Amino acid sequence: MAMMNGAQYLASLQDGRRIFAEGEEIKVLAEHPQFAKSLRLVAEGYDAHYQPGADASGPYFKIPRSKEQLKELLTELMEWDMVTVTTSQGLLALLTAAARMREDLPEYAERIERYFAYCQENDLRCVQAITDAKGDRKFSPGKQSDEDSYTHIVERREDGIVIRGAKLHISSAAVSHELVVMPTKAMKEGEEQYAVACAIPVNAPGVKIVNTSYAPRERIEDFPASSEHNMPEGFIILDDVFVPNERIFLAGETKHSPTFAHALGLWERLGGTAHMAEFGDTLVGLAQLIAEANGTEKIVHIKEKIAEMVIYSTLVRSGLEAAIANAAPSPEGWYFPSELYTNAAKHYAASEYGLMTRHLHDIGGGSIVTAPSIADLENEEVGPAIRKYMSGKDGIDGEYRLRLFHAIRDFTADAYGGWQLVTMIQSGGGLYAQRIVARKHYDMENAKALGRKLAGLA
Ligand SMILES: Cc1cc2nc3c(=O)[nH]c(=O)nc-3n(C[C@H](O)[C@H](O)[C@H](O)COP(=O)(O)OP(=O)(O)OC[C@H]3O[C@@H](n4cnc5c(N)ncnc54)[C@H](O)[C@@H]3O)c2cc1C
């Protein structure tokens, strides 16, 4: 086995997979405008990492064995395309689950390790398919009127299981090779059929993926962020999909259902926080640049808002540093970030992100959403007037300011910006999920002891 280059990756997707978008089935992904850019990004990632030789493998298959390696991984992660990031996070989450259940279920832990090696040897890309349709949220899986609301086992055979259900919002599924399926949450006694984790090839019979994307269909000059960074989001239908034994990692053992959800949450939230630290700095940069272009950079309330944004991105970065500084090894010597700091940092970063974009919009002004397009600027008749009236303080050219407004709109205010706002909150599980985990790992006894001491209680 060997690594794939970009062309081999593109060819590997012609495997009979069933992909849908905007009402139609798509036979050749590379020819469809909604997927072309995403495919190019992933193919470029393959080309960038490609090394010849049977033993070569990508850095995204490295398992961190020290805090330093964990830190390096996070730095590398920021350079990779989304699919490579989900591959690394998803497989590390699987290994985390393996480490945590090895004592109870050693056969599953070994299968996970063999699966990891299989993906590494074949240079495959994997996505994390955890979020179920969930039906009526007030009822648990076993109490839903439609038993398919949560992915479940419908048949057990000697050679494997058959599963049915749906996994929603699965980033990049259509352009990957493997779906790493995990239970969305803890399952209770009586809900054994829902405690299922496994790996399914995207082209397995019974898998259909319906896609959405914020990828702009208009001129890319006006969409500097979203035209360069887009991936399809997949609504995955699992219609009686057969999973052979060697690809099953949990099949009824309810005790370890949350093991998977927590393991995936940990790695997704760590990666999400790393991205939010970078996005925080980007928001600061945009705010400072547009304030300077508008001539407002010395006004007190503008400086205060930018200072708040600086504190935000610095604290998000500190949370990330603390998650790594407090990382601990598993018995296998694999390093996992701190649950407490990862979840607290992700919660803070996500919940305050909306306020940071509000500051940016407040500082920037209405042209964020009303600035004429770059094409209008190029129009012989109205272009010169647009350049003239879009110029801000002396020395700031109209086009410079226009481009800043388009960057702010695209990054924070319309399709991609809206996607970011929702994604910050929901990806890696909603804020509620981070509150549960942070509370679980916090040293409450120490806090209570401090409270008692202050109150003079023994
Ligand atoms: C862009 C994007 C990419 C994503 N990528 C992936 C991915 O690659 N893989 C993946 O598996 N998932 C992915 N997700 C899914 C994400 O994890 C979910 O959106 C999130 O867990 C919330 O689930 P939901 O969207 O079904 O909303 P809901 O479950 O309906 O939740 C909505 C709100 O209600 C609250 N809530 C719901 N039920 C309860 C309850 N019983 N008790 C208390 N509060 C409750 C939630 O906390 C939340 O605040 C992605 C989401 C987005 C937006």
Side-chain angles (χ1 to χ4, degrees):
M1 294 300 162
M3 290 183 78
M4 276 193 267
N5 62 27
Q8 287 165 326
Y9 156 72
L10 291 174
S12 73
L13 301 184
Q14 288 305 317
D15 57 1
R17 59 187 57 207
R18 308 281 318 272
I19 306 297
F20 297 76
E22 293 176 349
E24 285 175 4
E25 181 162 9
I26 298 161
K27 291 293 177 196
V28 186
L29 282 185
E31 288 171 9
H32 193 276
Q34 191 172 318
F35 297 90
K37 181 73 199 190
S38 317
L39 289 173
R40 217 186 78 206
L41 285 175
V42 186
E44 282 170 7
Y46 267 99
D47 280 336
H49 289 116
Y50 179 76
Q51 296 164 58
D55 295 334
S57 87
Y60 31 89
F61 291 112
K62 248 189 293 177
I63 309 170
R65 289 178 185 276
S66 66
K67 290 179 187 178
E68 292 68 36
Q69 286 184 6
L70 186 55
K71 194 164 179 168
E72 272 168 33
L73 173 71
L74 273 187
T75 313
E76 287 176 310
L77 209 91
M78 301 303 296
E79 305 296 322
W80 298 340
D81 63 86
M82 192 68 159
V83 182
T84 303
V85 171
T86 56
T87 301
S88 167
Q89 285 175 348
L91 291 175
L92 285 171
L94 268 186
L95 290 175
T96 306
R100 291 176 180 176
M101 65 181 188
R102 193 183 300 278
E103 210 172 293
D104 292 339
L105 302 163
E107 169 63 18
Y108 287 147
E110 281 160 29
R111 280 185 197 170
I112 288 175
E113 286 193 77
R114 284 198 292 274
Y115 176 70
F116 180 90
Y118 165 79
C119 293
Q120 182 173 25
E121 282 160 15
N122 292 282
D123 205 10
L124 301 179
R125 296 295 185 268
C126 314
V127 293
Q128 309 141 19
I130 187 164
T131 310
D132 282 300
K134 293 184 287 200
D136 186 334
R137 271 65 174 159
K138 57 176 185 297
F139 298 124
S140 59
K143 298 222 167 78
Q144 297 288 333
S145 59
D146 183 344
E147 62 174 0
D148 299 343
S149 296
Y150 285 77
T151 300
H152 63 121
I153 301 169
V154 288
E155 191 188 337
R156 285 179 185 270
R157 296 186 196 160
E158 211 157 281
D159 54 347
I161 54 173
V162 176
I163 65 168
R164 187 188 304 156
K167 293 286 183 185
L168 272 53
H169 333 274
I170 310 307
S171 302
S172 322
V175 297
S176 298
H177 301 107
E178 292 277 321
L179 310 172
V180 176
V181 171
M182 304 183 192
T184 216
K185 61 178 193 175
M187 300 297 165
K188 298 192 210 75
E189 217 185 298
E191 294 179 336
E192 285 75 13
Q193 58 165 323
Y194 298 101
V196 58
C198 57
I200 301 175
V202 170
N203 68 345
V207 174
K208 296 183 199 96
I209 307 179
V210 187
N211 293 270
T212 53
S213 171
Y214 54 76
R217 284 25 166 207
E218 298 99 299
R219 286 170 61 97
I220 61 163
E221 293 89 337
D222 299 329
F223 297 86
S226 56
S227 61
E228 285 303 309
H229 304 277
N230 61 68
M231 283 291 155
E233 244 79 56
F235 185 118
I236 303 179
I237 300 162
L238 301 168
D239 209 357
D240 291 357
V241 178
F242 173 71
V243 186
N245 284 330
E246 67 271 16
R247 284 175 162 264
I248 300 171
F249 311 135
L250 196 74
E253 300 80 357
T254 50
K255 178 184 168 191
H256 281 291
S257 211
T259 305
F260 284 89
H262 287 162
L264 183 60
L266 177 63
W267 288 100
E268 263 211 10
R269 289 166 204 162
L270 186 78
T273 308
H275 278 100
M276 279 186 263
E278 176 127 331
F279 286 1
D281 288 335
T282 307
L283 296 184
V284 172
L286 289 170
Q288 184 67 29
L289 287 169
I290 200 66
E292 287 172 6
N294 289 352
T296 56
E297 78 276 19
K298 296 214 169 81
I299 295 172
V300 173
H301 78 91
I302 303 275
K303 277 168 54 180
E304 280 172 2
K305 285 185 188 109
I306 294 176
E308 245 186 80
M309 296 168 78
V310 166
I311 290 168
Y312 166 83
S313 59
T314 307
L315 278 182
V316 175
R317 223 168 263 291
S318 322
L320 202 58
E321 294 280 335
I324 297 166
N326 291 280
S330 70
E332 296 82 358
W334 303 332
Y335 266 74
F336 302 145
S338 148
E339 289 273 10
L340 177 64
Y341 287 102
T342 301
N343 280 274
K346 161 67 171 56
H347 188 284
Y348 171 72
S351 54
E352 298 300 301
Y353 188 81
L355 178 59
M356 297 306 122
T357 55
R358 191 188 92 186
H359 284 340
L360 175 60
H361 296 168
D362 195 2
I363 291 165
S367 294
I368 292 171
V369 287
T370 65
S373 70
I374 299 295
D376 293 321
L377 187 72
E378 288 160 1
N379 179 285
E380 275 181 23
E381 193 169 350
V382 294
I386 292 172
R387 192 177 293 277
K388 170 177 147 89
Y389 293 113
M390 282 307 293
S391 63
K393 90 175 175 196
D394 276 355
I396 298 291
D397 175 62
E399 180 173 349
Y400 175 89
R401 214 163 142 255
L402 199 63
R403 285 192 182 271
L404 275 180
F405 284 130
H406 283 306
I408 296 172
R409 174 189 46 71
D410 188 28
F411 195 60
T412 65
D414 58 11
Y416 177 52
W419 179 89
Q420 292 276 25
L421 280 175
V422 177
T423 303
M424 294 297 174
I425 301 289
Q426 297 293 357
S427 65
L431 298 177
Y432 172 65
Q434 285 115 74
R435 289 199 289 269
I436 294 177
V437 183
R439 209 191 137 95
K440 183 170 170 227
H441 292 274
Y442 178 74
D443 189 349
M444 193 60 84
E445 286 314 311
N446 177 53
K448 280 162 65 180
L450 289 171
R452 275 194 215 101
K453 189 175 163 201
L454 186 72
L457 301 167

